Amino acid sequence: MNVSRIALATGVAASSVLLLSGTAFAHVSVQPQGEAAKGGYATVNFKVPNERDNASTVKLEVSLPTEHPLSSVMPQPVPGWKVEVTKSKLAKPLQVHGKQITEAVSKVTWTADGSKIAPGQFQQFPLSLGKLPEDADQLVFKALQTYDNKEVVRWIEESKEGAAEPESPAPVLKLSAATGDEHGGGAKDASAKDGKNAGHDEDAKSEEASESSSDTTARILGIVGILVGVAGVAFGVLAGRRRTS
């Protein structure tokens, strides 16, 4: 009897852990493809899992942070989904590459068009973002996930430092330190330049070695020529003396 109760309690506890784990991790999130550096550009994926057993996700709305407006937001086409980009006027215009930007993308909406996110599945929605702010460590996006049964899940709660994760956390994009190149290629460019400089140095050394070798060869041939000439003169003198004798 006691064994049966223990087994039952263990099963309930395990089921609760699995259920809570699934709820904790089954939320809309955003991750960069590579690196999202301050002051640069990045491609990010909004990952949308389906957390319902009896409904499919048919719509995703992502609101961009108004405190850090982005001058460039471009969605990548996703088969089976249509995308709509909404722009809004900026209270304070942005200066980007010497141009004044008076409006920026405030929301991106994906709506199922022949496809959907079924139970037990997830879908990624890529966006190209920039120029990322230089005075922030992260960007907080707010997302609405709509199911085909009309249910809407609002992923809009911001996490607070030292507090437990909220029930419906907003997607957060962590920003890394600036690379010195706004397109994220600073390190690669520097490496390429170092490689080219190293190549030039090797070529220069090779040319110097070749020139040195040529000079040495020319000197040796010159000395050999002089010796041959001296030997010829000496042979001619000796031959003349023999004839005279």
Side-chain angles (χ1 to χ4, degrees):
M1 186 68 175
N2 291 335
V3 175
S4 299
R5 288 180 179 179
I6 293 173
L8 178 60
T10 303
V12 171
S15 299
S16 300
V17 170
L18 290 174
L19 178 61
L20 292 174
S21 298
T23 303
F25 290 100
H27 56 255
V28 175
S29 61
V30 58
Q31 294 294 330
Q33 294 182 13
E35 186 176 22
K38 297 179 182 180
Y41 291 76
T43 298
V44 302
N45 285 324
F46 284 90
K47 183 179 179 181
V48 183
N50 191 325
E51 57 176 9
R52 297 291 182 265
D53 295 329
N54 57 352
S56 296
T57 298
V58 293
K59 188 177 183 180
L60 174 69
E61 300 171 72
V62 175
S63 294
L64 280 68
T66 56
E67 66 275 17
H68 295 293
L70 302 172
S71 60
S72 175
V73 178
M74 294 184 293
Q76 179 178 323
V78 178
W81 296 79
K82 63 180 181 180
V83 61
E84 180 183 358
V85 176
T86 303
K87 293 185 177 182
S88 300
K89 290 288 184 180
L90 296 176
K92 182 180 180 181
L94 298 174
Q95 293 291 334
V96 181
H97 301 305
K99 295 181 180 180
Q100 189 178 68
I101 307 298
T102 59
E103 63 177 12
V105 174
S106 56
K107 184 170 68 173
V108 180
T109 304
W110 289 270
T111 305
D113 185 22
S115 183
K116 60 178 64 176
I117 308 174
Q121 298 180 351
F122 76 93
Q123 177 65 54
Q124 294 192 106
F125 299 91
L127 277 183
S128 173
L129 304 176
K131 185 178 181 183
L132 299 176
E134 300 178 357
D135 57 350
D137 295 323
Q138 64 181 28
L139 291 178
V140 180
F141 301 86
K142 295 185 177 182
L144 302 182
Q145 181 179 7
T146 302
Y147 290 87
D148 56 8
N149 62 358
K150 307 302 180 183
E151 179 189 4
V152 177
V153 181
R154 302 168 61 85
W155 304 100
I156 61 174
E157 298 178 345
E158 296 189 33
S159 301
K160 295 181 180 180
E161 188 175 356
E165 184 181 60
E167 184 178 351
S168 301
V172 177
L173 176 65
K174 300 292 185 179
L175 303 181
S176 60
T179 61
D181 178 71
E182 64 181 21
H183 292 285
K188 293 181 180 179
D189 292 342
S191 177
K193 289 180 180 179
D194 291 342
K196 289 181 180 179
N197 290 336
H200 289 316
D201 292 343
E202 291 299 326
D203 291 342
K205 290 180 181 179
S206 179
E207 291 178 0
E208 291 177 359
S210 178
E211 291 177 358
S212 177
S213 177
S214 298
D215 291 343
T216 302
T217 302
R219 289 175 184 174
I220 294 174
L221 291 176
I223 293 173
V224 171
I226 292 173
L227 293 176
V228 172
V230 170
V233 171
F235 179 78
V237 171
L238 291 175
R241 287 179 179 179
R242 289 177 179 176
R243 290 176 182 175
T244 303
S245 300

